[in-house]
């Protein structure tokens, strides 16, 4: 059982740079996680591995069938139905572990997002492929659905590849991580690290820091050698002047004799030998520098500091109704600076509460304190953010673009007339715009959705490690993100058409 990518090179049609250049990777039985910033070629890599994209050069060698599950599930294919309802014991076990019944499968169009993702995985595993590739399988899923998927994937005995930024999910399956990185015009670089995703990210940071230190040390050593050469050259010139007879009286035979003796003995000869030695050392160091890689180290230090004081917040006891569903909320008192995670199953009413809380702040006249980042931006909200950006002075826009770069973006697209941004880039732009407005209450609905692993970790540092003093309520299913950013957890529980917020 094997999957090998040998000397793969690939460029997008019409682009001026290579996505991959002479890339080689091997996969064997077990799960491998692929992660990296947006635009590094993750989806392209797995499409090449699955045979959906033909590389410009190199080849893909594999044993057995390959199935790739894309991020968006478009429904069961005709061949899926026969395998799912074959009566095979393994498929029956999969249905149970994924909490899917025959009745649910037969009404696939009405399933929730998490149920459809589990059905997609059931269909893939029921074909018993030797190679299974999953692209972001846990996007928008709650903890319950993620655990069901982990349980099912742990039964797979073939070669598994997962593109994911979900560190908890990735760690539950794999101890091998492939990290992709790239500059603005360079082919992707690959780090193949035999560690789970969180530890692999830390190891990559350590390697980059070590590599940057080594690179800077070479620069310092070259500078020191060149400085010595200049000093020795100056001394040599002075000594050469001392060995010259120019200006001596033709009758000063003693002085001339001393100079002749010095020339013959070499006692006061030039320092040419020492100069040549240091020039040789400098040349050797420059050769090392030419072959050394200079890791890109993004400037960090972004903060989310409120800039204004807001007192402790209060929310009255209430019942929020949405259709035939009701969510009971107890009276809330929130100390300023508290970081709260709101958890619970999909459909339990977390966003419902966040919307109600935002509206209540408006009724209390505190809307000027509040920044609300929704899970998805409406077209009207997108246009409003872009309009606000375009209305800024050049120096202010420059600061925003600098912030976006430090959050892992390549903000050059903001200068284009068409100006279309992905949902992840829109979220970064909204954060960069709003962090300069001095808000002190931050409401965030699934802030890590659409963010790549680099941006996610930077946001974590902004919310926690940089001493963020804002009051934060965030909805998230990302357990690692919650652990890093919050100090209080509230849970929304639902039974039938009734739900309640549990503190």
């Amino acid at each position: 059982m094997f999957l090998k990518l040998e000397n793969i090179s690939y460029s997008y049609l019409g682009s001026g740079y290579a996505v991959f250049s002479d890339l080689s990777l091997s996969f064997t039985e077990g799960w491998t996680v692929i992660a990296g910033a947006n635009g590094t070629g993750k989806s392209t890599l797995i499409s090449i591995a699955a045979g959906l994209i033909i590389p410009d050069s190199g080849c893909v060698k594999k044993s057995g069938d390959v199935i790739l599950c894309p991020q968006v599930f478009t429904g069961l294919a005709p061949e899926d139905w026969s395998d799912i309802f074959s009566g095979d014991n393994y498929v029956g076990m999969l249905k149970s572990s994924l909490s899917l019944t025959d009745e649910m499968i037969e009404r696939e169009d009405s399933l929730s997002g998490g149920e459809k993702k589990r059905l997609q995985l059931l269909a893939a595993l029921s074909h018993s492929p030797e190679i299974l590739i999953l692209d972001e399988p846990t996007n928008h899923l709650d903890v319950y659905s993620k655990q069901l998927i982990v349980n099912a994937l742990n039964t797979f005995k073939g070669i598994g590849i997962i593109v994911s930024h979900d560190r908890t999910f990735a760690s539950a399956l794999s101890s091998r991580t492939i990290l992709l990185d790239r500059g603005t015009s360079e082919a992707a670089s690959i780090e193949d690290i035999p560690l789970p995703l969180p530890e692999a990210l830390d190891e990559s940071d350590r390697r980059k820091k070590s590599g940057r230190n080594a690179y800077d040390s070479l620069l310092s050593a070259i500078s020191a050698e060149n400085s010595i050469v200049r000093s020795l050259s100056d001394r040599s010139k002075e000594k050469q002047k001392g060995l010259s007879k120019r200006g001596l009286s033709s009758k000063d035979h003693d002085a001339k004799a001393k100079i002749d003796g010095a020339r013959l003995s070499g006692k006061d000869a030039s320092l040419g030998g020492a100069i040549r030695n240091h020039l040789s050392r400098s040349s050797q160091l420059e050769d090392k520098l030419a072959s050394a890689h200079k890791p890109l180290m993004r400037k960090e230090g972004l903060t989310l500091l409120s800039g204004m004081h807001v007192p402790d917040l209060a929310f009255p006891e209430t019942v929020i109704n949405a259709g035939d569903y009701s969510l009971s909320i107890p009276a809330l008192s929130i100390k300023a600076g508290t970081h709260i995670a709101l958890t619970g199953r999909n459909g339990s009413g977390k966003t419902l509460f966040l919307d109600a809380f935002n509206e209540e702040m408006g009724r209390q006249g505190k809307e000027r304190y509040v920044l609300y980042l929704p899970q998805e931006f409406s077209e009207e909200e997108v246009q409003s953010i872009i309009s606000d950006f375009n209305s800024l002075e050049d120096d202010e826009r420059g600061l925003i673009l600098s912030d976006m770069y430090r959050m892992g973006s390549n903000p050059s697209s903001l200068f284009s007339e068409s100006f279309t941004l992905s949902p992840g880039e829109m979220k970064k732009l909204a954060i960069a715009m709003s962090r300069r407005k001095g808000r002190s209450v931050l409401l965030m609905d699934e802030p890590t959705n659409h963010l790549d692993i680099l941006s996610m970790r930077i946001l974590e540092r902004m919310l926690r490690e940089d001493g963020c003093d804002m009051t934060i309520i965030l909805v998230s299913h990302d357990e690692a993100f919650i652990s890093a950013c919050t100090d209080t957890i509230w849970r929304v529980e639902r039974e039938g058409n009734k739900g309640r917020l549990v503190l």
Side-chain angles (χ1 to χ4, degrees):
M1 191 178 299
F2 63 89
L3 171 62
K4 296 180 180 179
L5 282 63
E6 297 183 349
N7 309 115
I8 297 294
S9 294
Y10 180 75
S11 299
Y12 296 129
L13 185 64
S15 70
Y17 59 87
V19 182
F20 301 112
S21 179
D22 200 30
L23 168 68
S24 294
L25 280 172
S26 294
F27 301 90
T28 54
E29 185 176 324
W31 288 102
T32 298
V33 172
I34 297 177
N38 291 336
T40 53
K42 302 184 296 295
S43 294
T44 302
L45 178 62
I46 61 175
S47 293
I48 291 174
L52 302 179
I53 292 179
I54 305 301
D56 299 331
S57 62
C59 63
V60 177
K61 299 179 180 179
K62 61 182 181 294
S63 61
D65 296 330
V66 180
I67 290 181
L68 188 153
C69 293
Q71 292 187 39
V72 179
F73 176 54
T74 57
L76 294 174
E79 59 271 19
D80 295 332
W81 292 93
S82 59
D83 284 337
I84 289 174
F85 290 101
S86 65
D88 183 86
N89 289 336
Y90 173 64
V91 176
M93 181 272 295
L94 285 174
K95 289 179 186 177
S96 177
S97 66
L98 289 167
S99 194
L100 291 169
T101 65
D102 290 348
E103 183 272 332
M104 292 171 66
I105 297 169
E106 289 169 352
R107 58 175 179 86
E108 61 169 317
D109 292 340
S110 64
L111 298 179
S112 67
E115 290 167 341
K116 286 182 178 179
K117 180 57 68 173
R118 295 184 337 242
L119 179 56
Q120 179 193 39
L121 184 58
L122 172 64
L125 290 171
S126 68
H127 295 308
S128 299
E130 288 196 7
I131 303 167
L132 179 59
I133 305 175
L134 309 176
D135 192 0
E136 296 288 5
T138 62
N139 269 359
H140 307 286
L141 298 189
D142 57 31
V143 174
Y144 171 75
S145 294
K146 289 181 187 180
Q147 188 57 55
L148 292 178
I149 288 177
V150 167
N151 294 341
L153 292 180
N154 274 324
T155 69
F156 180 65
K157 302 304 180 184
I159 296 172
I161 302 172
I162 304 175
V163 174
S164 180
H165 63 252
D166 188 324
R167 288 159 291 178
T168 303
F169 171 77
S171 297
L173 290 170
S174 175
S175 59
R176 180 194 181 192
T177 304
I178 293 175
L179 297 177
L180 274 64
D181 197 6
R182 68 179 303 142
T184 56
S185 60
E186 301 172 348
S189 62
I190 301 289
E191 288 184 279
D192 192 345
I193 304 177
L195 292 171
L197 179 56
E199 290 85 350
L201 292 166
D202 291 339
E203 172 63 14
S204 177
D205 288 345
R206 187 197 65 76
R207 291 180 183 181
K208 286 179 179 177
K209 184 175 182 179
S210 177
R212 185 58 181 259
N213 289 341
Y215 192 93
D216 290 343
S217 294
L218 282 173
L219 285 175
S220 297
I222 292 170
S223 177
E225 291 295 336
N226 291 339
S227 178
I228 293 172
V229 168
R230 288 192 296 271
S231 176
L232 291 176
S233 296
D234 291 342
R235 288 173 56 191
S236 177
K237 290 176 182 177
E238 290 299 321
K239 288 186 177 294
Q240 289 298 328
K241 290 179 182 178
L243 296 178
S244 173
K245 297 178 182 180
R246 182 178 297 176
L248 292 178
S249 169
S250 59
K251 296 179 180 181
D252 193 347
H253 301 294
D254 289 340
K256 291 180 179 180
K258 288 180 180 180
I259 291 173
D260 288 337
R263 287 177 175 177
L264 289 172
S265 66
K267 179 179 178 181
D268 293 322
S270 71
L271 302 174
I275 291 174
R276 286 191 294 274
N277 287 338
H278 286 284
L279 283 173
S280 176
R281 292 175 191 169
S282 177
S283 178
Q284 293 171 6
L285 290 171
E286 287 176 348
D287 288 342
K288 288 184 179 180
L289 186 69
S291 61
H293 173 64
K294 182 181 180 180
L296 176 64
M297 303 293 286
R298 289 180 182 267
K299 183 179 179 181
E300 298 181 357
L302 283 178
T303 58
L304 278 175
L305 303 179
S306 66
M308 65 170 71
H309 174 70
V310 64
D312 295 350
L313 302 177
F315 187 88
E317 181 178 359
T318 188
V319 175
I320 306 170
N321 295 299
D324 60 354
Y325 181 64
S326 62
L327 177 63
S328 298
I329 308 295
L332 303 173
S333 178
I334 304 172
K335 184 177 177 58
T338 304
H339 293 188
I340 300 165
L342 193 60
T343 66
R345 294 278 300 275
N346 285 341
S348 59
K350 301 183 296 298
T351 299
L352 191 65
F353 167 74
L354 217 56
D355 289 338
F357 190 93
N358 187 43
E359 292 173 3
E360 177 62 25
M361 293 301 100
R363 283 191 290 270
Q364 295 181 18
K366 297 177 179 177
E367 65 272 10
R368 68 187 184 279
Y369 298 122
V370 179
L371 165 63
Y372 187 7
L373 292 177
Q375 184 172 165
E376 306 289 345
F377 291 104
S378 67
E379 184 59 31
E380 182 180 352
E381 289 168 331
V382 168
Q383 294 306 317
S384 176
I385 294 170
I386 292 175
S387 177
D388 287 347
F389 173 79
N390 287 332
S391 67
L392 296 174
E393 298 293 332
D394 288 346
D395 58 341
E396 293 177 308
R397 281 194 290 175
L399 292 173
I400 298 297
L401 295 174
S402 175
D403 286 354
M404 289 191 68
Y405 173 76
R406 291 157 72 181
M407 283 189 282
S409 295
N410 180 6
S412 60
S413 60
L414 295 182
F415 288 110
S416 66
E417 294 183 1
S418 58
F419 193 33
T420 57
L421 294 178
S422 69
E425 297 306 302
M426 277 305 309
K427 191 164 288 188
K428 295 175 197 176
L429 178 58
I431 292 171
M433 291 281 290
S434 61
R435 89 177 191 92
R436 298 184 179 278
K437 295 181 179 179
R439 305 296 175 85
S440 51
V441 179
L442 179 60
L443 308 179
M444 308 178 79
D445 193 358
E446 294 290 358
T448 61
N449 280 0
H450 306 299
L451 293 185
D452 59 50
I453 190 66
L454 171 63
S455 303
M456 190 186 307
R457 297 175 82 213
I458 292 171
L459 181 58
E460 281 181 4
R461 287 193 283 270
M462 291 170 66
L463 295 178
R464 173 58 67 188
E465 295 180 13
D466 291 322
C468 174
D469 64 349
M470 301 179 77
T471 300
I472 297 173
I473 303 177
L474 64 87
V475 172
S476 181
H477 297 302
D478 189 321
E479 296 169 281
F481 186 80
I482 288 173
S483 176
C485 300
T486 63
D487 47 42
T488 302
I489 296 179
W490 294 348
R491 180 171 180 80
V492 180
E493 297 180 348
R494 175 171 183 168
E495 293 185 7
N497 291 331
K498 294 185 180 297
R500 64 191 182 108
L501 177 65
V502 180
L503 307 184

